[in-house]
Amino acid sequence: MNEYTDQISGYFNQVPMWPLVLLAVAIVFSGIYELFHRRQRAHAIDDFRSAILSTLSGLYPEPTNWPKSIDTYLCARLPVMQEIIDDFKPTVRQESLPAYNRDWDNYYQFCRAEITDDKCTAAELNPGTEPDPKKKFHTLVSNLLRHAN
């Protein structure tokens, strides 16, 4: 065992130390960067989640305060939602970006063209025969929020 340690110590006596010091500094800086990046991502996730929940309060997660003229109500909030989505987009992992964009497009299309008070009323009066816009809305918002995990 002694001859192995002698061989290793002899190697370090022959090799200049500056490459090893440079490697150690690079490893330390990459560790610090990783910690900073994780903290920044966690903060962005918290901000994203709280911004969406505050913008859609009363509608999500439980529709406790479903307003009249829901299409107008949701369309009025689309610019705020667009800003929230755009602010969070750099935080989304590259492989999840197409799904994130697709989920946003689905939500946007739903708010612009698919949800109306008539459809909500019809779904409440004929459960099971009419698709429930409240459930679809819940699913679309949940799909957006799943990117904040």
Side-chain angles (χ1 to χ4, degrees), residues 103-124:
D103 289 339
W104 168 244
D105 289 340
N106 290 340
Y107 176 84
Y108 187 84
Q109 180 65 28
F110 177 77
C111 291
R112 296 292 286 174
E114 293 180 29
I115 190 166
T116 62
D117 286 336
D118 296 336
K119 289 182 181 180
C120 292
T121 305
E124 288 174 4

Side-chain angles (χ1 to χ4, degrees), residues 85-140:
I85 295 295
D86 289 342
D87 288 346
F88 187 67
K89 192 176 279 192
T91 309
V92 177
R93 289 184 170 79
Q94 192 68 30
E95 63 270 5
S96 300
L97 204 53
Y100 181 73
N101 289 331
R102 187 173 43 255
D103 289 339
W104 168 244
D105 289 340
N106 290 340
Y107 176 84
Y108 187 84
Q109 180 65 28
F110 177 77
C111 291
R112 296 292 286 174
E114 293 180 29
I115 190 166
T116 62
D117 286 336
D118 296 336
K119 289 182 181 180
C120 292
T121 305
E124 288 174 4
L125 295 176
N126 303 319
T129 59
E130 295 288 328
D132 190 2
K134 291 180 183 180
K135 288 182 182 177
K136 185 169 183 182
F137 175 78
H138 187 275
T139 302
L140 292 171

